[in-house]
Amino acid sequence: MVDSSEELQQRLERVLLGGRRKYTRLEVADKAGVPEDRSRRLWRALGFATVRDDEVVFTDADVDAMRTADQLVRSGLVDPSIEVSVTRALGQHLSRLAEWQVEMLWALITEQPELGRNERQIARLVDGLLPELERVQNFVWRRHLAAYAGRALAASDEHLETRTEVVGFVDMVGYTRLTRQIDEEELSRVLDAFELLTAEVIAEHHGRVVKMIGDEVLFVADSPIDAAEIALALTERTSADESLPAVRAGMASGRILSRFGDVYGSVVNLAARLTSVARPGTILVDRELAADLSEEEAYELRPRRPVTVRGYNRLRPAALRRAREAPTGMFASSQQLAAEMLGLAEPSSRDGKITSTEPDEETAPADGDNDRSATESRPRRRRRRIL
């Protein structure tokens, strides 16, 4: 007879924990030589529910882990003042990884019930899978260590926690409406495709995914050109893929605080606000990033009308596009002069490139699907383009 789901779950737990539960929290603290109040803080920081002092839920592995954590602090590798913060970050990142891996394992067993018929079979399955997963995780972790160490050495004059970078958000347009129109299986496919695409593009252009926030990706890049290529490539590739919704993007450049894998500061907030007012298929950038890209012939920057968003009054973004083939010779000069006289363009500092000031509706609300901020809109007369 096939075991119930609850019995199977208990068997899996015993195998994954490496033994049976036999200690209380106080006994773990005593065996590891760690003060009781400190062991409680670390347990909570890891993201685990608080347990009663007399509840037997810990194994020998918990004792070893607590002892190792204490040795890291005593050795000076981890400052005692940030011990809980480090533990919290570790718990949050690994909990997501563990959730995905358990879902994968659970699906394998439920699709093939004979694998979970008894504890010996479960142990054989897990013993075969865990070493492979651990090897892959160890390889990826070391590669990321090497990559980050390289960036740190290249920017040795900057503090690792506070440095100048480009922050970008890329957001799927109409996501809330989409969730009401498709089933869970299709939604999962869309999210998987979006996450795969963003990971590939951001890595290809030397950026870093900070986190996925539902229908949105937050990334950072050291180079303004890399950031521009990331946003442009994602916009172009989602537009070409009929199975994915259109995206919009906002980017800003400046000093950020990088802490335990996340980023903070006004530059992050500004990039989010720019995303919130961008139209589908549009990339809005702040003044700093626009200035950094202004001399790059591969791009075209169009100043937008001022917008007001939460926390920022009369924000003046610019729309980033790939440069189009510009007219040359006498026609180009007369076109630029006419545009300047009619107030439709600013004096151009680059040969043949006209920087238009007309709005193109690129900073208007997209579809009511955004709740990050609200814009103040006024009726405007559209001006004719100079052809």
Side-chain angles (χ1 to χ4, degrees):
M1 181 176 178
V2 178
D3 294 333
S4 68
S5 296
E6 184 177 354
E7 291 172 337
L8 179 56
Q9 184 176 356
Q10 291 174 351
R11 288 181 174 181
L12 270 176
E13 184 182 84
R14 284 195 294 271
V15 173
L16 291 169
L17 292 178
R20 66 182 183 86
R21 299 173 184 257
K22 56 183 179 180
Y23 301 122
T24 66
R25 184 180 59 80
L26 295 178
E27 289 172 336
V28 169
D30 180 64
K31 287 182 174 294
V34 176
E36 180 271 333
D37 60 335
R38 183 157 160 251
S39 70
R40 183 193 295 113
R41 288 197 305 272
L42 293 176
W43 181 254
R44 289 175 178 171
L46 284 170
F48 302 124
T50 302
V51 296
R52 298 191 308 271
D53 290 346
D54 61 347
E55 195 169 353
V56 179
V57 296
F58 299 99
T59 68
D60 288 318
D62 293 304
V63 176
D64 292 338
M66 188 66 67
R67 187 180 292 121
T68 300
D70 183 57
Q71 290 172 350
L72 289 175
V73 174
R74 292 178 184 276
S75 68
L77 181 62
V78 177
D79 190 292
S81 64
I82 62 170
E83 178 186 32
V84 173
S85 297
V86 171
T87 305
R88 184 185 303 113
L90 186 65
Q92 290 173 352
H93 289 292
L94 291 183
S95 67
R96 295 184 62 188
L97 180 63
E99 182 179 5
W100 165 73
Q101 291 173 340
V102 168
E103 287 175 356
M104 181 181 65
L105 180 61
W106 191 259
L108 181 63
I109 292 177
T110 52
E111 290 172 3
Q112 303 179 55
E114 67 277 4
L115 295 177
R117 197 174 298 275
N118 58 62
E119 188 167 332
R120 178 174 298 178
Q121 288 177 312
I122 295 174
R124 187 181 300 114
L125 174 64
V126 174
D127 286 343
L129 287 176
L130 284 188
E132 300 300 322
L133 289 174
E134 288 173 349
R135 275 193 286 270
V136 171
Q137 289 170 190
N138 189 54
F139 165 76
V140 175
W141 170 63
R142 286 179 176 273
R143 291 295 300 182
H144 279 296
L145 276 180
Y148 189 77
R151 291 197 299 269
L153 290 174
S156 57
D157 56 330
E158 286 196 272
H159 195 280
L160 288 182
E161 286 191 349
T162 55
R163 55 189 303 179
T164 300
E165 287 193 295
V166 179
V167 178
F169 286 87
V170 176
D171 173 37
M172 284 194 290
V173 178
Y175 175 77
T176 301
R177 185 172 61 251
L178 179 66
T179 60
R180 297 194 295 263
Q181 296 174 344
I182 61 178
D183 58 26
E184 293 179 354
E185 183 177 350
E186 179 65 12
L187 178 61
S188 177
R189 190 200 63 75
V190 170
L191 291 174
D192 285 344
F194 179 66
E195 291 184 9
L196 176 61
L197 176 61
T198 55
E200 288 179 350
V201 170
I202 292 171
E204 181 181 352
H205 295 289
H206 313 290
R208 178 173 67 85
V209 175
V210 177
K211 57 187 173 183
M212 300 294 302
I213 315 169
D215 60 328
E216 183 177 61
V217 60
L218 166 59
F219 70 90
V220 294
D222 296 334
S223 161
I225 295 177
D226 286 337
E229 287 299 321
I230 288 170
L232 287 164
L234 286 174
T235 302
E236 293 160 355
R237 291 178 64 174
T238 51
S239 296
D241 189 340
E242 294 182 357
S243 67
L244 288 175
V247 298
R248 56 189 173 187
M251 298 191 295
S253 177
R255 302 283 290 182
I256 64 170
L257 171 64
S258 180
R259 192 168 185 269
F260 303 116
D262 210 339
V263 292
Y264 305 87
S266 61
V267 174
V268 181
N269 296 334
L270 180 54
R273 302 295 183 266
L274 290 173
T275 308
S276 72
V277 296
R279 296 289 295 178
T282 301
I283 303 165
L284 295 182
V285 301
D286 73 330
R287 285 186 174 184
E288 292 293 330
L289 184 54
D292 291 338
L293 296 171
S294 62
E295 298 302 320
E296 298 296 330
E297 295 185 357
Y299 310 119
E300 180 181 289
L301 292 154
R302 295 193 167 207
R304 301 295 96 200
R305 292 183 183 274
V307 294
T308 297
V309 296
R310 181 162 52 90
Y312 296 90
N313 292 321
R314 296 187 61 77
L315 186 63
R316 292 189 62 90
L320 172 68
R321 302 174 180 175
R322 292 200 186 277
R324 290 173 284 190
E325 184 115 3
T328 59
M330 183 179 298
F331 180 74
S333 301
S334 61
Q335 184 186 51
Q336 174 68 21
L337 179 60
E340 291 175 16
M341 291 177 65
L342 291 175
L344 298 180
E346 296 177 350
S348 176
S349 61
R350 289 175 288 174
D351 293 341
K353 289 195 175 181
I354 298 177
T355 307
S356 171
T357 59
E358 68 176 325
D360 285 348
E361 297 182 348
E362 286 174 320
T363 55
D367 58 0
D369 188 38
N370 172 52
D371 59 2
R372 281 190 300 270
S373 63
T375 62
E376 294 181 358
S377 59
R378 299 181 180 87
R380 302 188 184 116
R381 291 186 302 170
R382 292 190 57 79
R383 296 176 177 176
R384 293 185 300 168
R385 290 182 186 272
I386 298 297
L387 300 177

